[in-house]
Amino acid sequence: MAYHHLCSSPSSLLRDRHSLSVSPKPKSLRTNPPTSLNLVSLSKTSIKASSSHVSLEDLMSQETQIPRKLTNSQYPDGKTASKSYVWVNPRSPRASRLRQLTYDSRYSSLLKVADSLDSCNPNEKDVLAVLSSLGDDVSEQDAVVVLNNMSNPNTALLVLDHFRKILTKTSREVILYNVTLKVLRKSKDLDGAEKLFDEMLQRGVKPDNVTFSTLISCSRVCGLPSKAVEWFEKMPAYECDPDDVTYSAMIDAYGRAGNVDMAFTLYDRARTEKWRIDPVTFSTLIKIYGVSGNYDGCLNVYEEMKALGVKPNVVIYNTLLDAMGRAKRPWQAKSIYKEMLSNGFSPNWATYAALLRAYGRARYGEDALNVYKEMKDKGLELTVVLYNTLLAMCADVGFADEAAEIFEDMKNSGACKPDSWTFSSLITIYSCSGKVSEAEGILNMMLEAGFEPNIFVLTSLIQCYGKAQRTDDVVRMFNRVYELGITPDDRFCGCLLNVMTHTPREELGKVMDCIEKAKPELGRVVKLLIGEQNGEGNFKNEASELFNHISSDVKKPYCNCLIDLCVNLDLLERACDILELGLSLEIYAGIQSRSPTQWSLNLKSLSLGAALTALHVWINDLTKVQESGEELPPLLGINTGHGKHKYSEKGLATVIESHLKELDAPFHEASDKAGWFLTTKVAAESWLESRRSPDLVVA
């Protein structure tokens, strides 16, 4: 039993009753000394006579009180005792010499031998030279202690071979192999461990549970979960039954090997049978749930872990942060990070990387930049992926100056070089800001670095030239798409459509030709819209056909651009037709909402032209309600959102507020609700009554 546990302390090793005795026939000694012992009255001869009856196993358990059997000693009262004892001062030289005879001393010398074997040359001559210090009387227990404390796999195999030769009688030879397997595990030598296992079988040594658990754990530390599964599934063939610890470890192994169902099956069993699960396994379970998209499952496992009394470590926190980043739940990532700090853990590189990804994906610009600055302050290097995550976030939220600083830091780091995604994000930032020269400068750097522009880069450049009303450059970049053999996609065509909203009327034909070539069905809709083709009744049919054949993520941008184009060309009725079509196809939803106490107009997801058109339609609807005699609610409100466009100095709220003032509408910005403009029923009715014309001229 002692060998099975392979305890490193001498006391545990002595449970096998391997005791060393000065006497060939040690006698059992009493541990309770007689009372009122007069040490002065004890003769030196009596102590000397009894010294041959010392059991060193008993001496280990009695370091401070060492009894001695006496012959014909007397107590102070003169009575003769049949058995007498002597107390030896533990600080005396006598006690020191006695301790040297215990197994503690033997154990210390065995540790020194193990250290010497680790550092000696891995050849038989040098190994035998070290082992010769043990003498001829080497026990099986000595062999176990030496091998169990070694870390050099090359010399350990030679030591094992030596002990096998000199130990003619061993209680269980498998124990020697198991401790040698542990040495191979320490050095992550799975190949060597598997060869040693084959040797065991060839020599007729039957493996036990410890053999397989060591091989399984060796596979795990080597990052080979499939191998761990393979060894686990071999156990029944050798009549070995896994214990709870092995089963728990296999949850991690099956999860890492991709057998998610088996991992969850074992986890359910673990909860039922109350197995002890280590933090590594919990980390794997959280990762499995995260990869599968079950982010609530990640949090449930975390709560179950805490309920079982298992304390989370840095790896657990990092895995959770990564999962919350995938889920785009930055608020939960923040909460977990605060808990991590409050529990006394210091964030490492993986922690910061997970936070950067979480904040970057969710466009938490300020939080992401704070993490970035903290990493730089601590001297932590960023990878290309993390730099690109930051730059992509800057492109999403319009942080042009911050992006330029991050790019300079990336170039100066010396640890990583910009790639195509780096240049793509920077070109996007400058293009959306209308900074043509900066965008062209990054394009030249990209070409010098050996990267060809992809569809994303060319789309951004076309948008940049469009904002600057450089129509000829738009056409030039469009032609380059075909020169590079790139097929325009829906987003690219949407960019061309957006460019038309910035193009002077006299140059619309140039962009129209590009759209017709890239997407003929979109070209037909635009021509019908601006009146270059006859067919008033066909416009809605062509537009419906278009929206039924484009990807869902570009439907709203297409609708917004078409309405913006109509507003720019003073085609209000056609703008209303497109808005109506968008509502009927459920491209737009929830623009108007009504409750008994408030009617609202929600404009947050609309472009400027679409928002003005929706406002025009809503005011006309309110006018019709008043004319029909229907009662208005006590409160009416317009929700524009409280932000501004990321690449514009004017937000939607600013434009709508200005337009309401032009209409002399009684809507005023709410002090307690940012982005809301409210009015009362009485004020609205009075204003609507004053408006005789049902038409609204859209500015």
Side-chain angles (χ1 to χ4, degrees):
M1 208 48 203
Y3 292 154
H4 264 301
H5 292 284
L6 301 176
C7 296
S8 59
S9 67
S11 58
S12 63
L13 291 168
L14 283 170
R15 283 184 291 181
D16 288 320
R17 306 284 303 168
H18 177 76
S19 59
L20 302 175
S21 177
V22 177
S23 169
K25 295 181 180 180
K27 297 182 180 181
S28 174
L29 303 180
R30 289 173 54 185
T31 58
N32 296 323
T35 59
S36 304
L37 181 63
N38 189 343
L39 297 180
V40 178
S41 66
L42 297 177
S43 66
K44 294 182 179 180
T45 56
S46 65
I47 297 177
K48 182 178 180 181
S50 63
S51 63
S52 63
H53 301 287
V54 180
S55 169
L56 294 182
E57 182 180 347
D58 292 330
L59 287 174
M60 285 187 64
S61 63
Q62 295 287 335
E63 288 189 5
T64 60
Q65 180 175 311
I66 306 178
R68 290 290 176 270
K69 186 175 179 180
L70 304 177
T71 304
N72 297 327
S73 294
Q74 292 184 343
Y75 288 99
D77 57 5
K79 295 181 179 180
T80 302
S82 59
K83 294 182 181 180
S84 301
Y85 297 84
V86 62
W87 179 86
V88 177
N89 190 329
R91 297 180 180 179
S92 69
R94 175 76 173 171
S96 177
R97 288 194 297 272
L98 289 173
R99 286 196 194 96
Q100 290 177 2
L101 299 176
T102 68
Y103 198 79
D104 272 343
S105 176
R106 176 68 170 176
Y107 185 81
S108 299
S109 66
L110 293 175
L111 293 183
K112 293 178 181 178
V113 170
D115 289 338
S116 299
L117 289 168
D118 280 336
S119 58
C120 78
N121 294 321
N123 59 66
E124 188 173 358
K125 180 181 178 181
D126 289 352
V127 168
L128 290 177
V130 175
L131 290 173
S132 63
S133 64
L134 295 176
D136 298 329
D137 187 19
V138 178
S139 68
E140 182 182 4
Q141 181 174 319
D142 293 341
V144 171
V145 171
V146 170
L147 284 168
N148 193 47
N149 287 280
M150 289 185 65
S151 58
N152 187 332
N154 298 318
T155 53
L157 294 173
L158 294 172
V159 173
L160 171 66
D161 188 58
H162 172 73
F163 283 144
R164 284 188 61 261
K165 291 176 181 177
I166 67 171
L167 294 173
T168 56
K169 293 182 180 180
T170 57
S171 58
R172 291 194 65 198
E173 191 175 355
V174 67
I175 298 170
L176 293 175
Y177 280 99
N178 287 346
V179 288
T180 309
L181 286 171
K182 285 180 61 180
V183 179
L184 294 167
R185 182 183 64 187
K186 291 176 187 176
S187 58
K188 299 182 180 181
D189 185 4
L190 182 60
D191 290 337
E194 290 180 334
K195 289 178 182 177
L196 188 60
F197 179 81
D198 292 337
E199 179 187 314
M200 287 177 62
L201 299 182
Q202 291 171 3
R203 296 183 181 277
V205 179
K206 184 181 178 181
D208 60 9
N209 278 7
V210 176
T211 309
F212 284 103
S213 65
T214 305
L215 286 165
I216 288 169
S217 59
C218 184
S219 302
R220 290 178 68 195
V221 298
C222 291
L224 298 171
S226 298
K227 275 288 184 180
V229 170
E230 181 182 321
W231 284 109
F232 174 74
E233 294 177 350
K234 283 182 180 179
M235 293 183 74
Y238 294 90
E239 300 178 351
C240 294
D241 295 323
D243 56 13
D244 293 355
V245 175
T246 304
Y247 272 126
S248 297
M250 291 313 300
I251 298 174
D252 170 68
Y254 275 112
R256 291 175 184 269
N259 192 340
V260 175
D261 293 337
M262 188 64 178
F264 285 147
T265 299
L266 287 176
Y267 180 54
D268 290 338
R269 184 175 168 186
R271 287 187 291 187
T272 303
E273 300 181 15
K274 301 187 184 305
W275 297 343
R276 182 178 178 182
I277 304 177
D278 59 16
V280 174
T281 301
F282 277 115
S283 176
T284 299
L285 287 166
I286 293 170
K287 189 176 295 183
I288 292 171
Y289 277 118
V291 172
S292 65
N294 186 349
Y295 303 112
D296 290 330
C298 298
L299 297 173
N300 290 338
V301 169
Y302 178 57
E303 293 302 325
E304 288 175 3
M305 181 191 74
K306 292 194 292 185
L308 291 171
V310 180
K311 294 183 178 180
N313 55 24
V314 175
V315 176
I316 294 286
Y317 283 120
N318 290 347
T319 307
L320 273 173
L321 290 172
D322 184 70
M324 294 304 102
R326 292 174 183 269
K328 294 186 178 180
R329 299 180 183 179
W331 60 93
Q332 286 184 320
K334 269 189 174 184
S335 175
I336 292 166
Y337 182 57
K338 287 180 180 178
E339 180 183 327
M340 174 183 174
L341 296 179
S342 65
N343 285 336
F345 292 100
S346 298
N348 57 19
W349 187 92
T351 310
Y352 289 122
L355 286 172
L356 271 184
R357 289 191 293 267
Y359 295 150
R361 287 170 181 166
R363 301 177 183 177
Y364 272 39
E366 295 295 339
D367 293 295
L369 291 177
N370 288 336
V371 172
Y372 164 68
K373 291 174 183 176
E374 191 170 338
M375 289 185 74
K376 299 305 296 180
D377 290 342
K378 292 186 176 182
L380 297 175
E381 294 289 344
L382 277 73
T383 63
V384 174
V385 174
L386 291 181
Y387 275 118
N388 288 346
T389 299
L390 278 169
L391 291 172
M393 180 272 299
C394 290
D396 286 336
V397 300
F399 284 179
D401 294 338
E402 292 82 352
E405 181 182 336
I406 292 168
F407 181 56
E408 286 301 317
D409 175 59
M410 182 182 187
K411 290 190 297 181
N412 296 330
S413 67
C416 48
K417 295 181 180 180
D419 60 11
S420 60
W421 291 107
T422 310
F423 295 117
S424 178
S425 294
L426 289 167
I427 290 172
T428 298
I429 293 170
Y430 291 129
S431 296
C432 291
S433 304
K435 298 180 178 180
V436 177
S437 60
E438 287 86 347
E440 290 178 335
I442 297 296
L443 176 62
N444 292 332
M445 291 177 62
M446 182 178 185
L447 295 172
E448 290 172 3
F451 298 106
E452 285 288 344
N454 55 25
I455 186 68
F456 303 106
V457 171
L458 296 172
T459 300
S460 296
L461 288 168
I462 285 176
Q463 184 178 13
C464 183
Y465 289 130
K467 279 195 169 187
Q469 296 187 351
R470 291 170 52 168
T471 310
D472 290 338
D473 287 322
V474 170
V475 176
R476 177 175 59 84
M477 201 55 60
F478 174 81
N479 291 332
R480 187 165 184 180
V481 171
Y482 285 92
E483 291 170 3
L484 293 172
I486 299 173
T487 302
D489 59 8
D490 286 343
R491 291 179 181 272
F492 181 83
C493 296
C495 177
L496 289 172
L497 192 58
N498 181 264
V499 166
M500 288 195 74
T501 65
H502 302 284
T503 303
R505 188 186 295 261
E506 61 274 11
E507 293 187 327
L508 285 175
K510 296 178 181 179
V511 183
M512 174 72 70
D513 292 340
C514 296
I515 291 177
E516 260 197 309
K517 183 176 180 180
K519 200 172 191 67
E521 57 269 42
L522 177 59
R524 288 195 297 270
V525 170
V526 175
K527 279 191 172 184
L528 287 169
L529 185 147
I530 63 178
E532 287 196 8
Q533 284 185 355
N534 294 324
E536 186 72 23
N538 293 330
F539 173 74
K540 287 188 177 181
N541 293 334
E542 289 284 352
S544 297
E545 187 69 17
L546 169 68
F547 286 119
N548 288 331
H549 290 87
I550 59 176
S551 54
S552 58
D553 59 334
V554 299
K555 288 181 179 180
K556 186 178 287 187
Y558 274 34
C559 251
N560 282 339
C561 286
L562 289 171
I563 295 174
D564 286 350
L565 184 58
C566 291
V567 171
N568 291 345
L569 299 175
D570 296 329
L571 301 172
L572 180 57
E573 290 185 9
R574 187 54 56 83
C576 293
D577 290 340
I578 300 172
L579 179 64
E580 182 183 353
L581 179 63
L583 290 168
S584 65
L585 295 176
E586 297 183 349
I587 297 172
Y588 297 123
I591 291 181
Q592 291 190 28
S593 60
R594 295 185 178 186
S595 73
T597 58
Q598 181 175 336
W599 289 2
S600 302
L601 177 67
N602 300 297
L603 306 175
K604 287 196 296 182
S605 64
L606 304 181
S607 62
L608 295 180
L612 291 170
T613 303
L615 177 61
H616 162 75
V617 172
W618 190 57
I619 292 173
N620 280 350
D621 289 345
L622 294 178
T623 303
K624 292 175 183 177
V625 167
Q626 187 184 44
E627 290 174 351
S628 68
E630 184 181 349
E631 289 287 326
L632 294 175
L635 195 64
L636 294 98
I638 302 170
N639 181 16
T640 63
H642 59 277
K644 68 179 181 67
H645 191 276
K646 58 190 177 184
Y647 291 108
S648 173
E649 292 302 319
K650 290 185 178 181
L652 185 58
T654 304
V655 175
I656 294 298
E657 182 180 23
S658 175
H659 192 65
L660 289 171
K661 288 179 179 179
E662 291 178 11
L663 298 175
D664 198 25
F667 289 88
H668 303 282
E669 188 171 6
S671 58
D672 58 340
K673 296 176 71 175
W676 276 89
F677 296 87
L678 303 174
T679 190
T680 62
K681 169 187 174 182
V682 175
E685 286 179 339
S686 175
W687 176 66
L688 292 171
E689 185 66 31
S690 67
R691 299 180 80 250
R692 298 301 181 184
S693 173
D695 296 325
L696 172 66
V697 178
V698 181

